[in-house]
Amino acid sequence: GSFAYLPPANHLSLCTTNLPDPTIADGSTAFGALTYSGNGSARTLTGLNMNPDFIWIKSRSSAQKHVLVDSVRTTSTGEYLASDSTQAEGTGVHISGTTDGITIADPNASTIWYNDSSHTYVAWAWDAGTSTASNTDGSITSSVRANPSAGFSIVTWSGTSANATVGHGLNAAPELILLKRRDSSTTGMYAYHSAVSPAKTLYLYGTTKAETYAAAYNNTAATNSVFSVGS
């Protein structure tokens, strides 16, 4: 159609052709979510548009723990984390990504967390790229699997008991970071968010409000290459 009045100079009409191209044309190639009913048996869930590297599962029908697995940590012993508690990294949860979904293999007595026949579940899944590499951007060398175009990465490292920086493998400062000490049953998952002061730490376990806690992120904002950790 035509304009009733000529648009002002240096202005464009509002239409999809004149909108900027999105960073990710199809968001389903970076993130997806599946809902399902448990069956208590080994199975494969399909319906994703990528092979996920980070999978977070929660029962929707019962008060069970959150189960987090990823392709950087997971081995034949089935490592997992529980974001809602302080427990150390556990084993025996064999969940992994496939070309277009999630495989749950060899269910054990803990399947009530993620595939019990009497419960319903939701699984959130993220793509973290195609390979895991060593990263020396920080004072601590980290192991990173990164998807910079989606702004998502998985990072593991060994602490030094001192303030340090850790490379995250992204080309921009991350807005959200979740941190968990894997070998401790006394510390839970700490969250950093750019909308909250860098001097404040949030918690995914318990009911404590955001507070100053330098031991998590050293009261320091993340940069384009690293985030900070405390002693």
Side-chain angles (χ1 to χ4, degrees):
S2 59
F3 291 103
Y5 303 94
L6 289 176
N10 301 319
H11 285 68
L12 297 172
S13 60
L14 181 60
C15 62
T16 55
T17 302
N18 291 329
L19 293 176
D21 293 331
T23 303
I24 302 175
D26 182 357
S28 69
T29 62
F31 170 80
L34 298 173
T35 57
Y36 61 98
S37 296
N39 67 2
S41 300
R43 66 191 304 184
T44 296
L45 304 167
T46 60
L48 298 177
N49 196 23
M50 44 84 182
N51 187 332
D53 294 292
F54 181 61
I55 302 166
W56 185 324
I57 295 178
K58 177 68 178 73
S59 171
R60 303 166 61 199
S61 57
S62 63
Q64 299 298 328
K65 67 177 65 179
H66 293 249
V67 175
L68 285 64
V69 300
D70 64 76
S71 60
V72 174
R73 294 180 303 115
T74 301
T75 68
S76 60
T77 55
E79 285 83 356
Y80 75 93
L81 294 172
S83 62
D84 55 311
S85 75
T86 61
Q87 75 171 66
E89 180 179 72
T91 58
V93 173
H94 299 280
I95 300 172
S96 59
T98 65
T99 302
D100 61 352
I102 298 169
T103 292
I104 299 174
D106 302 323
N108 58 26
S110 301
T111 57
I112 191 170
W113 306 335
Y114 53 87
N115 193 35
D116 187 80
S117 60
S118 61
H119 299 299
T120 58
Y121 301 86
V122 59
W124 300 282
W126 289 261
D127 174 34
T130 58
S131 62
T132 302
S134 179
N135 183 295
T136 58
D137 290 340
S139 60
I140 292 177
T141 297
S142 56
S143 182
V144 178
R145 192 177 185 95
N147 184 347
S149 63
F152 181 82
S153 67
I154 303 167
V155 185
T156 64
W157 70 96
S158 295
T160 62
S161 297
N163 295 337
T165 56
V166 181
H168 51 62
L170 305 175
N171 298 324
E175 296 180 343
L176 172 67
I177 305 171
L178 302 179
L179 167 66
K180 176 67 174 78
R181 179 176 166 182
R182 298 161 60 190
D183 61 354
S184 171
S185 59
T186 61
T187 58
M189 190 166 280
Y190 302 119
Y192 161 100
H193 199 287
S194 61
V196 180
S197 166
K200 298 288 186 180
T201 296
L202 298 163
Y203 304 88
L204 266 64
Y205 65 102
T207 58
T208 304
K209 69 180 187 302
E211 65 177 7
T212 301
Y213 185 62
Y217 297 102
N218 198 24
N219 299 341
T220 304
T223 73
N224 288 359
S225 58
V226 301
F227 60 90
S228 295
V229 292
S231 60

